[in-house]
């Protein structure tokens, strides 16, 4: 009888790391899993949902999550039809304000947007001419020095900084940390970008059906012995298994919060060190009524990208009076130094400059992914000078120790939910194959997909439900 044991932390970031496999056989598989549903006790489910990752990058049938979304009848809200990594929201449906609360003319927003595209095109030429990697910020400086006609002054300069701020939000890192060589090499699926109107909670519940999932089990040690692995919890409890799949955030691995005995090989340690881990926080504000315009984004322009910011208008997608303030990179870490009340007050000050009659929120939630001991960051990004084989080394197993999660996905889908999902399937399949070969059942074609997922895959004739308010 096959025993599936699942350990998880209480708080995390990427919902799709929940692996969809119920494996059967004669061996014992121990699955080490990071569960990604933060606990906000006493709060309405809809509001808590807004704090979780709602985005789906690649609103198309080619997305690995599409069969599940179709089968569950979930509604998607398309925020942008652009396949670019920079434009996951329709920038023609945004309203920008300066720090004094004055609205930026839309023509300036569009004109600077076109200039920003030209600047990025020129950074591609810088990359081609210089064999050494550099940061995106450094490349932009090179371009502006070489092409003074692209420099912006006054309000236009502040709008340009806002576009850079939006770029930094994609990577959850500052432009001076992002690799020029690889920033635009990510493979983005077709269909544009969207939001899961009901969040990923229905997907998680469907995938978790009939699985033994144990919360509040923080792993502190993984002892890899002869053909067996022993996993130790912080309370001293031990679990023994034939194999382990590790999907904890890279931030946890970088901080050495799990002791591996014997130590991980140098090539694996170097792979962990060679990746950056970004930080992006949300401050969700729920109001009793809507007082803002019906646009996708409400943005704040400023002299530096650090001082820029923006709100996502979730009322368009969900019908609920909710705005979510987004902060990435160093600014996200600085916000975590504030109390929840101070952080909410800070963003309300920005909002009331834009809309003096804005009401106070009836509820707010503040995330702290950068300092949360169960995550220590959001998702990975490419550091300047990153070795080309870093992802290959990160996903490579160490004997009967396998690795999953968004950072190890194939096809350059790092940092996405569907990337984490597909990486989980890949790790589970590799682990099962290892165990079957170990038992001499190489020809035994056991199912790699759970009953729940089989039901989802049978609904291929059901179209994706996409709305746009």
């Amino acid at each position: 009888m096959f025993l599936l044991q699942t350990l998880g932390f209480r708080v995390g970031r990427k919902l799709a790391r929940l692996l969809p496999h119920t494996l059967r056989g004669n061996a014992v598989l121990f699955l080490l899993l990071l569960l990604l549903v933060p606990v906000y006790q006493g709060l309405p489910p809809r509001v808590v949902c807004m704090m979780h990752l709602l985005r789906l990058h690649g609103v198309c049938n080619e997305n690995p999550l599409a069969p599940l979304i179709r089968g569950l009848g979930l509604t998607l809200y398309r925020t942008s039809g652009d396949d670019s990594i920079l434009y996951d929201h329709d920038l023609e449906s945004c309203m920008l304000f300066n720090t004094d609360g004055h609205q930026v003319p839309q023509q300036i927003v569009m004109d600077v947007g076109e200039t920003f595209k030209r600047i990025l095109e020129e950074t591609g030429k810088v990359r081609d001419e210089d064999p050494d990697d550099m940061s995106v910020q450094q490349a932009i400086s090179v371009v502006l020095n070489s092409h003074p006609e692209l420099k912006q002054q006054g309000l236009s300069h502040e709008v340009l900084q806002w576009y850079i701020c939006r770029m930094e939000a994609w990577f959850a890192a500052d432009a001076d940390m992002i690799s020029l060589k690889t920033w635009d090499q990510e493979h983005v699926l077709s269909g544009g970008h969207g939001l899961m109107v009901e969040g990923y909670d229905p997907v998680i519940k469907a995938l978790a059906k009939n699985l033994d999932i144990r919360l509040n089990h923080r792993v502190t040690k993984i002892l890899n012995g002869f053909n067996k692995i022993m996993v130790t919890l912080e309370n001293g409890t031990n679990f023994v298994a034939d194999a382990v799949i590790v999907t904890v955030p890279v931030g946890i691995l970088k901080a050495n919060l799990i002791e591996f005995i014997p130590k991980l090989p140098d090539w694996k340690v170097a792979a962990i060190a060679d990746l950056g881990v970004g930080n992006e926080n949300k401050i969700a504000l729920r109001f009793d009524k809507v007082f803002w315009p019906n646009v996708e984004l409400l943005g704040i322009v400023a002299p530096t990208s650090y001082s820029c910011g923006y709100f996502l208008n979730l009322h368009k997608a969900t019908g609920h009076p909710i705005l979510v303030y987004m902060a990435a990179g160093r600014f996200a870490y600085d916000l975590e130094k504030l109390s929840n009340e101070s952080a909410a007050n800070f963003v309300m000050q920005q909002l009331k400059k834009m809309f003096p009659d804005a009401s106070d929120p009836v509820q707010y939630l503040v995330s702290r992914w950068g300092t949360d001991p169960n995550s220590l960051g959001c998702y990975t990004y490419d550091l300047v000078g990153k070795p080309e084989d870093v992802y290959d080394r990160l996903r490579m197993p160490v004997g009967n120790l396998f690795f999953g999660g968004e950072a190890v996905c194939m096809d350059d889908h790092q940092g996405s939910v569907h990337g984490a999902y597909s990486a989980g399937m890949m790790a589970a399949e590799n682990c099962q194959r290892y165990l079957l070969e170990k038992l001499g059942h190489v020809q035994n074609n056991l199912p790699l997909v759970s009953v729940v997922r089989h039901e989802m895959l049978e609904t291929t004739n059901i179209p994706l439900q996409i709305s746009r308010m």
Side-chain angles (χ1 to χ4, degrees), residues 407-429:
V408 305
C409 72
M410 302 289 285
D411 301 322
D412 297 321
H413 292 156
Q414 287 80 15
S416 67
V417 176
H418 62 270
Y421 176 82
S422 59
M425 292 195 295
M426 177 184 66
E429 291 171 2

Side-chain angles (χ1 to χ4, degrees), residues 31-331:
L31 183 61
L32 174 63
L33 176 69
L34 175 69
L35 284 185
L36 310 174
V37 182
V39 175
Y40 298 103
Q41 297 182 359
L43 299 176
R46 175 61 66 179
V47 178
V48 174
C49 173
M50 301 310 161
M51 293 302 289
H52 300 335
L53 192 63
L54 299 173
R55 300 184 184 185
L56 183 74
H57 299 297
V59 184
C60 61
N61 289 322
E62 290 72 31
N63 192 303
L65 287 171
L68 293 169
I69 295 171
R70 284 197 306 263
L72 293 171
L74 301 179
T75 301
L76 298 173
Y77 173 81
R78 179 174 276 133
T79 58
S80 171
D82 197 308
D83 298 338
S84 166
I85 68 173
L86 296 181
Y87 303 104
D88 53 352
H89 286 267
D90 185 357
L91 294 184
E92 292 184 359
S93 179
C94 71
M95 188 175 290
L96 303 187
F97 299 81
N98 66 13
T99 53
D100 293 325
H102 298 118
Q103 184 179 348
V104 179
Q106 191 64 17
Q107 190 60 50
I108 293 180
V109 177
M110 303 308 294
D111 290 345
V112 175
E114 291 301 315
T115 300
F116 184 53
K117 290 181 181 179
R118 289 184 56 196
I119 292 173
L120 293 180
E121 290 173 358
E122 291 298 324
T123 63
K125 298 177 182 179
V126 173
R127 175 174 55 196
D128 295 339
E129 295 170 358
D130 194 329
D132 296 326
D133 195 12
M134 67 180 70
S135 72
V136 169
Q137 183 64 59
Q138 183 179 352
I140 290 176
S141 297
V142 170
V143 169
L144 294 181
N145 288 333
S146 303
H147 299 273
E149 73 278 7
L150 296 178
K151 288 185 177 181
Q152 305 296 297
Q153 304 294 331
L155 184 59
S156 295
H157 169 77
E158 296 186 3
V159 174
L160 177 62
Q161 294 303 307
W162 184 81
Y163 277 101
I164 295 174
C165 166
R166 290 282 292 119
M167 179 183 189
E168 293 171 332
W170 179 271
F171 298 96
D174 295 274
D176 62 355
M177 300 293 292
I178 303 167
S179 166
L180 173 65
K181 183 185 297 183
T182 60
W183 79 267
D184 60 347
Q185 301 304 300
E186 180 176 340
H187 172 58
V188 180
L189 296 173
S190 63
H193 307 269
L195 295 177
M196 300 282 290
V197 176
E198 300 174 64
Y200 279 101
D201 186 56
V203 175
I204 292 296
K205 288 180 178 177
L207 295 178
K209 186 178 180 180
N210 298 324
L211 296 183
D212 179 6
I213 298 176
R214 307 190 185 188
L215 304 179
N216 298 313
H217 284 51
R218 183 178 284 110
V219 174
T220 58
K221 183 186 300 183
I222 299 178
L223 174 61
N224 198 342
F226 180 71
N227 290 329
K228 295 289 183 180
I229 297 182
M230 184 170 69
V231 175
T232 301
L233 308 184
E234 61 180 352
N235 64 3
T237 302
N238 293 319
F239 293 89
V240 177
D242 294 315
V244 166
I245 300 176
V246 179
T247 67
V248 299
V250 174
I252 299 298
L253 297 177
K254 291 174 77 74
N256 297 314
L257 295 186
I258 297 177
E259 180 184 6
F260 291 88
I261 302 176
K263 294 181 178 180
L264 294 175
D266 291 343
W267 57 265
K268 177 68 74 173
V269 174
I272 295 170
D274 287 338
L275 277 179
V277 176
N279 187 23
E280 184 179 36
N281 280 311
K282 303 176 183 178
I283 301 177
L285 307 166
R286 183 169 70 91
F287 301 90
D288 56 358
K289 62 180 180 179
V290 175
F291 55 80
W292 56 88
N294 190 35
V295 294
E296 294 285 345
L297 296 175
L298 297 169
I300 304 156
V301 305
T304 65
S305 63
Y306 174 91
S307 301
C308 294
Y310 64 98
F311 294 84
L312 299 182
N313 175 18
L314 291 187
H315 181 257
K316 281 180 68 69
T318 69
H320 293 268
I322 296 175
L323 293 175
V324 179
Y325 183 83
M326 309 292 289
R330 296 185 184 94
F331 185 50

Side-chain angles (χ1 to χ4, degrees), residues 16-34:
R17 283 191 186 132
L18 181 58
L19 304 185
H21 299 76
T22 302
L23 307 180
R24 299 181 182 277
N26 297 318
V28 176
L29 171 66
F30 190 99
L31 183 61
L32 174 63
L33 176 69
L34 175 69

